[in-house]
Amino acid sequence: MKNRLKDLRAERGWSQQHLADALEVSRQSVNAIETGRYDPSLPLAFRIADLFGQPIEAIFLNPKETEQ
């Protein structure tokens, strides 16, 4: 699933480790989400959205809309 996590993290000057610590996940998990190799659980997606102060749909892109 495509997402804006890497861009949002970069805008804040956060490292993957900083974000991982804030979300209480591993740095490898953050990397996997950023590269689209792993889709976060719904609870984790909500934590990410809360951390960035944005709705989930502003971070995780609808696959049907990105295929066009």
Side-chain angles (χ1 to χ4, degrees), residues 1 5 8 16 19-20 23-24 26-28 31-32 36 42-45 51-52 67:
M1 176 184 303
L5 191 59
L8 293 170
Q16 287 185 340
L19 180 57
L23 295 171
E24 299 180 343
S26 69
R27 187 198 59 76
Q28 290 82 2
N31 181 272
L42 191 54
L44 178 56
L51 184 65
F52 287 105
E67 290 175 0

Side-chain angles (χ1 to χ4, degrees), residues 47-68:
R47 290 200 327 258
I48 292 169
D50 287 346
L51 184 65
F52 287 105
Q54 298 193 18
I56 288 177
E57 61 270 21
I59 299 172
F60 297 96
L61 310 177
N62 183 335
K64 290 181 181 177
E65 294 177 7
T66 59
E67 290 175 0
Q68 300 171 358

